[in-house]
Amino acid sequence: MSVKNITVTGMTCNHCAMSVREEIEELAGVTGVQVDVESGRVQITSDADLDDAAVTAAVVEAGYQLA
């Protein structure tokens, strides 16, 4: 199992967190996503290491950016 921590900017509410969570959960191998709106921290657990570009693309698709 792998754990990746990222920081996402621009999230202000639970709907924002849900959008980010849903996009990241679609990535192959992701087993869990925890989002803290206040800090912008997102913890992603997966079966294997995730491609940074794929994670970035998922966050951008949700309408946000990495810090």
Side-chain angles (χ1 to χ4, degrees):
M1 179 163 58
S2 176
V3 177
K4 177 184 282 291
N5 293 296
I6 61 173
T7 303
V8 176
T9 61
M11 295 186 298
T12 58
C13 64
N14 286 332
H15 178 71
C16 299
M18 183 177 65
S19 296
V20 170
R21 184 180 310 110
E22 287 175 352
E23 289 297 331
I24 293 174
E25 284 176 340
E26 291 183 14
L27 298 175
V30 171
T31 57
V33 180
Q34 294 181 324
V35 180
D36 180 18
V37 173
E38 287 185 27
S39 67
R41 291 181 187 245
V42 178
Q43 184 178 64
I44 308 164
T45 54
S46 59
D47 292 334
D49 288 338
L50 294 174
D51 178 55
D52 289 339
V55 173
T56 300
V59 170
V60 169
E61 182 67 26
Y64 304 93
Q65 295 187 5
L66 295 179

